[in-house]
Amino acid sequence: MRAVRYYGKEDVRLEEVPAPELLPGTVRITPAFTGICGSDLHLYFDGPIPPAPADSPHPISGEQLPVVFGHEFSGTITEVGEGVEGLAIGDNVVVEPLMVCGQCPPCNANRYNLCEKMGFIGISGRGGGLAEQIVTEQRFVHPIGDLPLDQGALIEPLAVGMHAVKHAGVVDGGTAVIGGAGPIGLLTAAILKARGMRVVMSEVSAARKDIARSTGVADLVVDPSEQDLPAVVREFTDGVGADVAFDAAGIKPVVDALLASLRPGGRLEVVAIHVSPVELDLTGQLIMGDKVIGGSIGYANDHVEAIELARSGAVDLSKFITRKISVDDIVEDGYKRLRDHGETEVKILVHM
């Protein structure tokens, strides 16, 4: 079968590899669409970083580079292994692309996104969405019913936003501020809107501001390079401030502005990965406002809820698909386009 394999920095190859073996408790899936994620771009342009197994085999998959790429994908079941229940040939599904040990304290507490040995299908081994077939364990396969397969490829990033919203303890209603209108910021905003929140989106890119407006996920879009975000939020909330804020940008000025936009007792949820430490005035920015900072990573037990949100129409994932490309064009029309023109794209989907 054909598959895209990741060898290292700026080195992916579409090549023939053996089809995976169907084992008890697993299903065989023909991937339909695979989304390109920010982590894929980092791996492609910057080289392997954990959990990509560059120097030694991954502790769960046992694989080293090269590995099949692609962790945000949808597909159709074509074969069912012994002992599998609740899934059938012909089911359209998405895969929660985690590999976990099932033995460490976080796994035992059902917080498997924090597994001490955690890896990702499509990054750490065990195949990926950029292949003509993948075999994966039943536990992480979720039927999507009548949700179109292209939209299904966005369930994985939607689940990231779902986990962040739940982790932040958001209740229906109120006002949220989001820093950064990339894919995670936009999808988090869509979830908040579905829960009856008023959403203020902070973004400097003109193209991304337009996307936030055109998709309808923000009630107000603010350019913090031209406007005082905390002042705008206070005016928008009749002087109160936002109930919750989400950092989907990953830079210190956004963190500072979001903290200043919160009401007393408000919460900042950090979803973005920060590549540099952030210095905070804990007394002035946090303690004197009785505020809370939390951080969320990935997802655990969030895919089913994300699927239902999309199937119900409360979140229209079709709005966030900006391009579909062939696997043969993945470098030029996928990775390089997102690097050079990423501000005009939300999610580029790849089909085999």
Side-chain angles (χ1 to χ4, degrees), residues 58 60-61 97-101 117-121 124-126:
H58 188 273
I60 296 179
S61 72
L98 293 179
M99 52 180 75
V100 300
C101 73
K117 298 179 180 179
M118 186 268 290
F120 275 86
I121 293 169
S124 312
R126 292 190 176 176

Side-chain angles (χ1 to χ4, degrees), residues 21 66 72 84 131 324:
E21 179 185 1
E72 299 180 0
V84 171
K324 298 176 186 178

Side-chain angles (χ1 to χ4, degrees), residues 20-205:
E21 179 185 1
L22 186 73
L23 301 172
T26 68
V27 298
R28 189 184 306 277
I29 298 167
T30 298
F33 293 96
T34 299
I36 300 178
C37 174
S39 60
D40 298 326
L41 297 184
H42 283 300
L43 288 164
Y44 181 77
F45 288 110
D46 301 328
I49 54 175
D55 299 322
S56 60
H58 188 273
I60 296 179
S61 72
E63 295 181 45
Q64 283 184 265
L65 299 184
V67 294
V68 178
F69 231 7
H71 65 278
E72 299 180 0
F73 64 95
S74 62
T76 303
I77 294 177
T78 57
E79 193 174 0
V80 175
E82 179 183 349
V84 171
E85 298 179 356
L87 296 171
I89 293 172
D91 285 351
N92 288 341
V93 296
V94 296
V95 172
E96 191 172 350
L98 293 179
M99 52 180 75
V100 300
C101 73
Q103 300 172 341
C104 66
C107 282
N108 288 333
N110 203 26
R111 301 183 69 185
Y112 53 85
N113 59 315
L114 305 177
C115 174
E116 294 173 357
K117 298 179 180 179
M118 186 268 290
F120 275 86
I121 293 169
I123 294 177
S124 312
R126 292 190 176 176
L130 291 172
E132 292 179 328
Q133 300 178 36
I134 182 172
V135 168
T136 190
E137 57 185 309
Q138 175 182 0
R139 171 185 179 182
F140 290 130
V141 178
H142 301 284
I144 60 173
D146 57 358
L147 185 70
L149 282 165
D150 57 350
Q151 295 181 40
L154 274 70
I155 290 296
E156 194 270 356
L158 185 67
V160 172
M162 178 68 70
H163 185 74
V165 168
K166 291 163 63 177
H167 192 264
V170 170
V171 296
D172 294 354
T175 301
V177 184
I178 298 178
I184 297 300
L186 291 167
L187 290 169
T188 301
I191 295 167
L192 293 168
K193 287 294 294 178
R195 299 185 69 154
M197 299 284 287
R198 296 196 305 166
V199 175
V200 179
M201 181 69 75
S202 175
E203 174 60 60
V204 297
S205 161

